[in-house]
Amino acid sequence: MDSPTPVRVRFAPSPTGRMHLGSARTALYDYLLARRTGGKFILRIEDTDRKRFVAGAEQELIDGLRWLGLEFDEGPDIGGPYGPYRQTERQSIYQKWATELVERGHAYYCFCTPERLEKVRQEQQKQKLSTRYDGTCRALQLSEARSRIAAGEKFVVRFKMPREGQTRAVDMMRGEITWDNKELDDAVLLKSDGLPTYHLAAMADDYEMKITHVIRGSEWLSTFPLHVNIVRALGWPEPAWMHLSVFLKPSGKGKMSKRETAEALKDGHSIFVKDLIDLGYTPEGVLNWIVLMGWGVAEDDVMTLDQMVERFDIHHLTASPAAINFSKLDHFNGTHIRLLPIEDLAARLKPFFVAANYAVDNDMLLKVTPLIRERLVTLDDCIPFAGFFFNDTVDPAPADLVGKDLTPAQSAEVAHKAYTLLAGLPELTHAAAEPPLRQLVEESGLNINQVFGILRVAVTGQKVSPPLFESLEIIGRAKVLARVQKAIQVLKTL
Ligand code: GLU
């Protein structure tokens, strides 16, 4: 195989909210492309929008990436040759490039007040025109603009969009796109607070950080011609661009709303990475789910991150929007849980038991894990299935102890027979307990579910549990006998 040219790709989130699936997928594709080509994956924090800044959001992003296993090679907390990696720490770079654009005649100082801009906007709306800057300051002489700045007037820097002709640019996934320049706006590059907008900051950083491929959301398609014009005005090499489609809600109609997101959470699902961690999803399951939302390999392909790296081909990504399908997430999560070695799975279950206040015994956990792993969809399913293993006693609902179609007295008798039989065994193992218990079923003329049902509820405290004989062995003779004894007492009071 040809060895591919190593790329430099960046994941460039804004710390303005929670890390969701869309960001995770963008980061994953960046990561896969970097690893596939032996290149570098960079994390850059785009924090210049101070109004929307959310404290803690950067840490949630970093934690999310690390939980997913998407280790970055350069980034705010680890540094790298092109740092700093937080845009608010790079202000002078943007100011330099804004000035450069003005000097080359591709940008200008604008002194229009927010009030004036608002009036213009309203007027345009009234006339049913598209709203954009009306170009008032575009005609100002640079010398005049400079003296106004020197006199202390507030200003922004705007890009001077070409007014005639067309802008053409290529998106790797969507092909060539053409825009009429007269439809484009003179966007703000540098705000009056001296901070850049995304348009300038991202382009300058992609250049300074030697980014070769820009993978980002399709919300940036409308300003793509602006970005291309900035890059070209400065004579920078153009990266390859790709705009990923958005995720649609499960019905496929539109994006998830706040209400639908809250409803999904009640159902044990979420579009936020942090929630998925808490809900018991595994990074393997989440990655496998999102990687296929936009990658045209066979739908059901189960892959680990390493296998994704081996198979990834950026040319196979598709632009068609994917609907979020939580049952697929459950499918991939359960599948990956069953692929984990027992020790690994046990270690991942442990925090869930601990969080639910069970005193976890590690030897017991290692025995319990294989019994329950077939049934786990999420890691926290271990609590209802297997929490009782770590309790000294169980407390079944008395009515559950009564066997199907039996009276409490008959049930107590069955429990008593089982007790005598188990107490008489030299050792309570699966192999030793099964034959006599089966014989008991036959002799009593009852069916298996009646007899084993009583025993199951007595010993585990619940109607649904892992396989009975294995459970008896793990719980151990003393506890089993005490629990059956207690059940007999309870049944006698009914
Ligand atoms: N900060 C931008 C965002 O969060 C990044 C877009 C990009 O990757 O260029 O949407």
Side-chain angles (χ1 to χ4, degrees):
M1 196 187 68
D2 295 347
S3 44
T5 317
V7 299
R8 284 184 57 83
V9 284
R10 85 299 188 281
F11 172 51
S14 300
T16 51
R18 308 194 55 197
M19 182 183 191
H20 54 71
L21 298 175
S23 326
R25 184 188 58 171
T26 305
L28 174 57
Y29 288 162
D30 278 326
Y31 174 90
L32 293 177
L33 184 60
R35 294 294 169 266
R36 182 83 192 92
T37 61
K40 294 281 186 244
F41 172 49
I42 294 134
L43 173 64
R44 181 173 78 219
I45 300 294
E46 302 205 324
D47 58 349
T48 59
D49 187 344
R50 301 316 285 174
K51 282 195 211 106
R52 293 178 56 223
F53 178 82
V54 173
E58 177 181 320
Q59 197 54 47
E60 186 172 323
L61 281 156
I62 291 179
D63 292 346
L65 288 176
R66 297 220 162 109
W67 179 78
L68 287 166
L70 306 179
E71 286 295 334
F72 43 90
D73 306 301
E74 299 168 27
D77 62 341
I78 55 171
Y82 301 96
Y85 292 90
R86 221 176 263 116
Q87 288 186 328
T88 46
E89 292 163 21
R90 301 171 60 81
Q91 276 199 59
S92 57
I93 296 174
Y94 313 124
Q95 279 161 358
K96 175 187 80 185
W97 287 118
T99 309
E100 178 77 22
L101 278 167
V102 171
E103 275 164 10
R104 292 188 187 202
H106 290 294
Y108 56 93
Y109 298 110
C110 170
F111 301 91
C112 294
T113 61
E115 295 74 37
R116 172 170 189 278
L117 294 174
E118 179 54 25
K119 254 199 215 139
V120 170
R121 203 179 62 88
Q122 282 176 6
E123 191 54 36
Q124 287 170 336
Q125 272 176 341
K126 232 193 265 162
Q127 295 179 33
K128 305 231 173 334
L129 297 169
S130 52
T131 52
R132 72 179 82 156
Y133 182 58
D134 66 353
T136 304
C137 294
R138 191 173 160 123
L140 283 179
Q141 291 295 326
L142 189 51
S143 52
E144 186 191 338
R146 285 197 174 125
S147 34
R148 286 172 73 172
I149 291 171
E153 216 174 310
K154 271 195 154 189
F155 67 95
V156 301
V157 175
R158 283 184 188 274
F159 191 67
K160 196 185 264 182
M161 260 297 178
R163 288 231 164 119
E164 271 121 47
Q166 293 181 320
T167 297
R168 286 169 202 277
V170 176
D171 174 292
M172 286 179 82
M173 202 161 60
R174 296 161 197 263
E176 189 181 67
I177 311 178
T178 306
W179 297 265
D180 281 333
N181 288 341
K182 61 177 188 316
E183 303 298 333
L184 305 175
D185 200 0
D186 283 0
V188 173
L189 301 179
L190 203 66
K191 296 177 282 183
S192 56
D193 61 3
L195 282 171
T197 56
Y198 168 81
H199 315 302
L200 175 62
M203 296 315 112
D205 285 346
D206 288 345
Y207 168 67
E208 302 263 352
M209 295 179 179
K210 301 202 168 21
I211 299 303
T212 60
H213 292 66
V214 171
I215 303 177
R216 59 183 186 175
S218 60
E219 66 271 27
W220 298 109
L221 268 176
S222 61
T223 41
F224 186 20
L226 165 67
H227 303 148
V228 165
N229 275 299
I230 295 173
V231 168
R232 291 177 188 166
L234 287 162
W236 291 338
E238 240 175 272
W241 311 85
M242 179 176 277
H243 296 83
L244 301 174
S245 50
V246 294
F247 287 161
L248 303 176
K249 61 177 145 188
S251 67
K253 296 190 187 102
K255 290 211 273 180
M256 286 281 272
S257 68
K258 278 221 169 97
R259 187 177 57 80
E260 286 152 343
T261 305
E263 256 158 39
L265 192 58
K266 276 192 222 142
D267 210 28
H269 294 123
S270 181
I271 58 166
F272 299 114
V273 175
K274 171 94 173 48
D275 289 351
L276 293 173
I277 303 175
D278 297 341
L279 290 166
Y281 287 95
T282 58
E284 291 86 347
V286 173
L287 288 172
N288 207 151
W289 181 47
I290 56 178
V291 84
L292 297 178
M293 291 202 254
W295 181 9
V297 293
E299 279 253 311
D300 246 13
D301 266 1
V302 174
M303 291 178 277
T304 60
L305 187 54
D306 287 344
Q307 288 164 335
M308 291 174 201
V309 171
E310 269 165 42
R311 297 175 58 180
F312 189 69
D313 182 341
I314 196 169
H315 302 289
H316 291 166
L317 297 185
T318 82
S320 34
I324 294 173
N325 180 338
F326 289 117
S327 33
K328 279 196 187 156
L329 168 62
D330 288 342
H331 162 72
F332 282 119
N333 205 62
T335 305
H336 279 283
I337 281 179
R338 280 176 274 292
L339 288 172
L340 294 175
I342 292 298
E343 295 72 30
D344 186 353
L345 177 56
R348 298 194 204 199
L349 296 178
K350 188 171 176 177
F352 287 92
F353 283 119
V354 171
N357 286 325
Y358 289 99
V360 179
D361 171 88
N362 286 334
D363 290 341
M364 168 98 73
L365 178 61
L366 279 175
K367 290 185 198 149
V368 167
T369 303
L371 286 194
I372 59 172
R373 81 163 159 182
E374 290 308 316
R375 312 179 72 152
L376 300 178
V377 173
T378 50
L379 297 171
D380 64 345
D381 286 343
C382 67
I383 304 298
F385 287 153
F388 67 87
F389 280 107
F390 304 101
N391 280 340
D392 283 338
T393 55
V394 291
D395 203 11
D400 290 349
L401 287 165
V402 181
K404 188 153 188 292
D405 301 327
L406 299 179
T407 63
Q410 289 170 316
S411 308
E413 199 188 318
V414 171
H416 182 71
K417 283 186 181 153
Y419 179 89
T420 316
L421 187 159
L422 292 171
L425 295 175
E427 250 193 318
L428 207 180
T429 58
H430 174 177
E434 184 166 356
L437 279 173
R438 289 200 183 274
Q439 205 182 340
L440 171 67
V441 172
E442 266 174 41
E443 283 167 7
S444 61
L446 301 172
N447 66 39
I448 283 201
N449 292 342
Q450 289 172 310
V451 176
F452 290 1
I454 295 169
L455 201 52
R456 180 189 307 280
V457 176
V459 175
T460 68
Q462 51 200 54
K463 285 175 154 173
V464 180
S465 80
L468 182 62
F469 298 112
E470 284 92 333
S471 301
L472 294 179
E473 180 173 329
I474 294 174
I475 294 165
R477 188 169 192 276
K479 278 191 196 166
V480 166
L481 292 178
R483 289 177 189 186
V484 179
Q485 185 69 264
K486 191 175 129 198
I488 296 168
Q489 303 307 325
V490 172
L491 282 165
K492 281 186 179 160
T493 65
L494 296 182

